[in-house]
């Protein structure tokens, strides 16, 4: 039989369910038609998408029922057989079956919500108290697990930050060694991390300029970032450089050698004083 053709008389029952916040248990009266046994169909309601109704279970001798399926659309022509199948899948054929379902949930450490506990309290108060205590203990376990997981992630992140920063420091030490002793200094990028996903990246020559107090114009800093590939240092001087000849600026910076030699002098002086 199609549920839209149901012609049984309407009855009024209270239903236990959640408010819109999904957490607060509320009790609301509905007019509903018996389908079969404890299974009921609500009056048709309307929302902006059309007509709908709900399915409930109200056990005999139990004052308040519980939803089985919410917001079924009238135009879908559901049958009584489908409604009974939903009832069975929800373990609501009888109070005993529902209690067995919640006992299994407790044994398997699955969620039991407040509306379910409130519903059970009507016909097995002792079990409801047990489910409520289990729910509190389970949340405490989950919270502790979340705290431990957060600690583990934080330690992993801290280790990652230390590793990446040590890599950058090694690059800086190697660059300083080239400046002191001569050779080719690659203008590679270095990154310093304040968090796993938070870091600042610099061209190493610009980074060293800042570290040793060499004031370089922004335009020259930009050229170093975009164009400079490497410098060759010999006997305390920058003797040549490699750079990318692309775009409008196809020539080297006219003033770069002066700033690079200032950096070489500052590094050497600092190392001698150390």
């Amino acid at each position: 039989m199609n549920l839209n053709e149901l012609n049984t008389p309407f009855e009024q029952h209270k239903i236990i369910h959640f408010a819109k916040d999904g957490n607060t248990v509320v009790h609301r009266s509905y007019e509903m038609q018996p389908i079969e046994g404890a299974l009921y169909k609500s009056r048709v309601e309307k929302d902006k998408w059309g007509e709908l109704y709900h399915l409930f279970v109200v056990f005999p001798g139990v004052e308040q029922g519980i939803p089985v399926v919410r917001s079924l659309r009238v135009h879908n022509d559901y049958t009584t057989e489908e409604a009974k199948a939903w009832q069975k899948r929800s373990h609501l054929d009888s109070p005993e079956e529902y209690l067995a379902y919640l006992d299994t949930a407790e044994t398997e450490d699955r969620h039991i919500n407040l509306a379910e506990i409130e519903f059970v309290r009507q016909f097995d108060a002792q079990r409801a108290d047990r489910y409520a205590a289990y729910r509190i203990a389970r949340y405490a376990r989950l919270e502790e697990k979340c705290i431990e997981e957060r600690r583990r992630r934080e330690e992993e992140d801290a280790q990652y930050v230390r590793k990446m920063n040590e890599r950058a420091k090694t690059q800086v030490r190697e660059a300083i060694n080239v400046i002191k002793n001569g050779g080719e200094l690659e203008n590679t990028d270095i990154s310093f991390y304040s968090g796993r996903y938070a870091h600042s990246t610099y061209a190493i020559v610009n980074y060293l300029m800042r570290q040793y107090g060499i004031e370089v114009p922004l335009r020259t800093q930009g050229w170093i970032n975009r164009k400079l590939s490497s410098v060759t240092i010999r006997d305390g001087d920058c003797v040549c450089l490699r750079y990318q000849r692309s775009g409008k600026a196809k020539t080297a910076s006219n003033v770069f050698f002066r700033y690079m030699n200032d950096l070489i002098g500052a590094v050497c002086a600092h190392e001698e004083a150390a």
Side-chain angles (χ1 to χ4, degrees), residues 72-268:
L72 294 172
R73 296 292 160 181
V74 170
H75 61 76
N76 285 328
D77 293 328
Y78 294 111
T79 65
T80 55
E81 288 73 20
E82 288 174 298
K84 288 160 62 179
W86 281 319
Q87 179 185 13
K88 188 169 189 62
R89 283 198 295 272
S90 300
H91 310 280
L92 284 164
D93 280 346
S94 68
E96 293 75 21
E97 182 180 348
Y98 195 62
L99 291 173
Y101 159 70
L102 293 181
D103 284 349
T104 301
E106 181 183 18
T107 300
E108 296 178 353
D109 200 30
R110 291 189 276 111
H111 178 62
I112 298 177
N113 69 47
L114 291 172
E116 291 171 328
I117 295 171
E118 190 76 7
F119 177 61
V120 167
R121 193 172 298 283
Q122 300 175 102
F123 50 89
D124 195 327
Q126 185 175 1
R127 256 198 180 93
D129 288 341
R130 193 183 81 203
Y131 295 152
Y134 157 77
R135 184 175 183 276
I136 292 170
R138 181 174 182 270
Y139 269 105
R141 290 195 305 274
L142 291 176
E143 179 62 23
E144 182 60 31
K145 185 177 179 180
C146 287
I147 291 171
E148 289 301 319
E149 177 64 18
R150 186 163 58 248
R151 287 173 182 161
R152 183 188 65 78
R153 287 198 305 268
E154 287 173 352
E155 180 54 33
E156 286 181 354
D157 289 348
Q159 289 178 6
Y160 178 82
V161 168
R162 288 193 294 268
K163 174 184 174 182
M164 299 307 292
N165 286 342
E166 188 54 45
R167 179 183 298 177
K169 290 174 184 177
T170 298
Q171 288 177 276
V172 170
R173 287 194 295 268
E174 290 173 351
I176 290 172
N177 188 59
V178 172
I179 291 172
K180 285 168 49 185
N181 301 309
E184 185 174 16
L185 173 61
E186 298 285 343
N187 188 35
T188 55
D189 285 343
I190 59 170
S191 297
F192 287 94
Y193 285 71
S194 57
R196 178 180 281 271
Y197 305 107
H199 65 273
S200 299
T201 299
Y202 313 89
I204 196 164
V205 170
N206 269 334
Y207 177 80
L208 291 171
M209 295 284 190
R210 294 191 186 101
Q211 291 298 106
Y212 284 89
I214 310 302
E215 295 186 5
V216 182
L218 290 177
R219 183 174 180 178
T220 305
Q221 290 183 42
W223 182 87
I224 293 170
N225 277 330
R226 296 189 305 272
K227 301 294 184 180
L228 182 64
S229 298
S230 68
V231 296
T232 300
I233 299 166
R234 188 180 304 133
D235 298 327
D237 284 308
C238 177
V239 296
C240 69
L241 56 85
R242 288 190 299 114
Y243 64 95
Q244 299 176 35
R245 294 173 172 83
S246 61
K248 293 181 180 180
K250 295 184 179 180
T251 60
S253 168
N254 294 326
V255 295
F256 172 74
F257 280 95
R258 172 160 61 89
Y259 294 115
M260 188 64 208
N261 284 327
D262 287 347
L263 173 62
I264 294 169
V267 168
C268 292

Side-chain angles (χ1 to χ4, degrees), residues 45-52 71-76:
E45 303 172 5
K46 288 185 179 181
D47 64 11
K48 61 182 178 181
W49 294 286
E51 295 183 322
L52 58 91
S71 303
L72 294 172
R73 296 292 160 181
V74 170
H75 61 76
N76 285 328

